[in-house]
Amino acid sequence: MPMAPLRRTLLALLALAPWAVVPTASFVRPSRGLKAPLRSIRGGGGGRPSTAMAAAGGADEAMMERLRAILLKGQATGGAAPAAAAATATATTAATTAAPAPAASDGAWDIELCSPSKVNLFLRITARRDDGYHDLASLFQAISLSDKLSISKLPDGATDDVFECDMEGVPNDRTNLVLQAVDCFRENTGSSQFFKLRLEKTVPAQAGLGGGSGNAATALYGCNELCGRPGTAAQLEEWSKVLGSDATFFMSQGTAYCTGRGEILEPMAPLEAPPSSLYIVKPEVGLSTPAVFKALASSEWANGGVDTRSTMDPKALLGMHVDPSDTSIEKYVNDLEPPAFECLPDLKALKERLLGYGFDAVMMSGSGTSLFCTGEPNVEGWPEVVTEDASLPWPVRVFKTSFLNRPADSWYEAAGAGEVTKVATTKPEASTKEAPKKKVAPKKKGGSKKKKKPKKK
């Protein structure tokens, strides 16, 4: 056999043997939403690919000695490994260019983090700024409905980050907030480290839940952890401000009073009396935040007409939420609801329907389109009454979740939130077979239409 083909055959056998120490370069198998493979490096037995291949491609006699040792080892263990290597030697090229990167579930990632979402327990729009933004005052609360972000450091010599996501339509370029957060980390620390990141999405998009901002904050935190914490907690909070208003909130411990554009934080202790149950109801329709604020700016109150915003003082609302004895539903306020309902009248109808199911309170989060519901409904067949109702203009998803907080010295941990398709319940106190058809009287500012019912003992 000519020497060049012999060398290729020997290298193939060495690379395929399970005890060989020659690392291989691989490509990440495209996930949903990825248009093309992403370059990745999969670590082998320790050496860099260049030095390992140089060692393997040195003297032909050395390779022959190595092969003899491998074959003898295979004979000692029954010969199965050399036979398997020989059977697949012709597939060497495909194996080294199309092998998938290690999945998050196989423990191959350097760090795996919960990426939470949030609700706005109240959201007041207090003024319009000269720069076109709006000043707000809001109580942000992290919730356990979360994504999963896995991160590993790439070897020295890597020239770019590797990012993939399992949700179709999520961009995998620098417009993605995760990669912007990685860039932000390098710019502020001077690090030259590149990373491999995989995002597994559960939090719906265009929901007012801050899912993308949570991903960015989690990426910034994770990169800082993997590189020895060059940034302090205060610095991470400051750096996160360029990633969007909501990203800064996630650098808190899960409860914060936010003002300005949302980037000015006043950390709060965890609320002493969170709702007994919390559901997120998300119609499969979106509203962009700019569209909602545009409707707000063009509404009558912006031109000196009727003001549809709440008149309640934000600090008073904050006090109501902090007081564990205050069970009034008037503390749930969102000034973005009227313009959002103007953009999407069917969303208002869905809220009225949910109120008719007996929840303690129903309120839109952020700029929508998700609605959060506190307490348990008294309707039979929840949540199928909305998730399986073909008469609705769009499909509806329901998630059961809870408030989420974290210690100062660690990140958020997932707490078992997830999508609800069917819930086994005891016999309800009352049954509502369909949404109420009659018109509901206009609600008072700052509160919900529904009077609070006494809680079950």
Side-chain angles (χ1 to χ4, degrees), residues 50 136 166 174 177 204 219 222 290 293 309 316 327 331 340:
S50 58
L136 60 84
D166 67 346
R174 246 59 199 186
L177 282 172
F293 274 99
R309 296 173 299 162
T327 58
K331 61 187 177 183

Side-chain angles (χ1 to χ4, degrees), residues 48-357:
R48 296 174 186 262
S50 58
T51 57
M53 292 306 296
D60 294 321
E61 185 62 33
M63 286 193 297
M64 290 299 296
E65 289 300 322
R66 179 84 176 278
L67 181 58
R68 288 192 196 100
I70 290 174
L71 292 174
L72 288 173
K73 184 172 182 178
Q75 290 172 355
T77 57
T88 55
T90 58
T92 303
T93 301
T96 57
T97 59
S105 59
D106 66 6
W109 297 96
D110 293 341
I111 192 170
E112 296 178 335
L113 296 169
C114 161
S115 180
S117 55
K118 58 83 182 171
V119 291
N120 300 87
L121 297 180
F122 70 83
L123 175 56
R124 287 291 333 277
I125 304 299
T126 57
R128 188 177 184 185
R129 298 154 50 122
D130 293 338
D131 60 6
Y133 288 97
H134 293 76
D135 281 329
L136 60 84
S138 179
L139 179 57
F140 281 56
Q141 175 60 56
I143 58 174
S144 58
L145 176 60
S146 56
D147 300 327
K148 180 179 180 180
L149 183 64
S150 305
I151 313 175
S152 286
K153 295 167 68 176
L154 288 176
D156 294 342
T159 59
D160 202 358
D161 302 298
V162 175
F163 174 75
E164 62 175 4
C165 179
D166 67 346
M167 179 178 284
E168 185 133 10
V170 173
N172 64 331
D173 56 19
R174 246 59 199 186
T175 62
N176 191 287
L177 282 172
V178 169
L179 291 177
Q180 290 181 31
V182 175
D183 289 339
C184 175
F185 169 77
R186 280 193 291 263
E187 290 167 5
N188 284 281
T189 62
S191 172
S192 58
Q193 178 66 55
F194 288 94
F195 301 90
K196 179 176 69 175
L197 309 97
R198 175 173 173 80
L199 178 62
E200 298 171 60
K201 290 291 292 181
T202 300
V203 179
Q206 288 192 317
L209 299 174
S213 296
N215 298 156
T218 303
L220 182 58
Y221 175 89
C223 292
N224 192 64
E225 287 291 300
L226 290 181
C227 293
R229 299 184 180 177
T232 65
Q235 287 175 319
L236 291 179
E237 181 181 317
E238 185 64 29
W239 300 343
S240 69
K241 292 179 181 180
V242 302
L243 301 173
S245 302
D246 290 350
T248 306
F249 158 69
F250 291 101
M251 293 301 174
S252 73
Q253 292 177 238
T255 307
Y257 178 59
C258 302
T259 54
R261 292 184 293 111
E263 83 284 4
I264 303 173
L265 293 183
E266 183 181 329
M268 308 289 297
L271 299 180
E272 294 183 30
S276 57
S277 295
L278 182 65
Y279 291 93
I280 301 295
V281 177
K282 175 63 174 78
E284 293 294 284
V285 62
L287 276 176
S288 71
T289 300
V292 175
F293 274 99
K294 183 177 180 181
L296 176 69
S298 63
S299 64
E300 291 183 350
W301 76 265
N303 299 306
V306 176
D307 192 344
T308 60
R309 296 173 299 162
S310 170
T311 58
M312 296 192 71
D313 181 82
K315 285 289 187 180
L317 289 168
L318 181 62
M320 295 167 72
H321 280 278
V322 171
D323 182 359
S325 66
D326 192 323
T327 58
S328 61
I329 57 175
E330 284 75 19
K331 61 187 177 183
Y332 296 104
V333 171
N334 187 344
D335 285 342
L336 293 181
E337 265 198 353
F341 290 166
E342 181 183 335
C343 294
L344 195 61
D346 285 329
L347 185 61
K348 180 180 180 180
L350 178 60
K351 175 179 176 176
E352 292 173 349
R353 178 171 179 166
L354 292 169
L355 284 167
Y357 290 162

Side-chain angles (χ1 to χ4, degrees), residues 388-411:
E388 298 181 8
D389 187 349
S391 69
L392 290 171
W394 6 249
V396 172
R397 302 171 69 190
V398 175
F399 303 85
K400 189 164 188 178
T401 184
S402 59
F403 286 5
L404 185 65
N405 291 86
R406 69 179 179 96
D409 59 350
S410 62
W411 196 241

Side-chain angles (χ1 to χ4, degrees), residues 412-426:
Y412 301 91
E413 293 187 4
E419 186 168 1
V420 180
T421 55
K422 188 173 183 179
V423 177
T425 59
T426 56

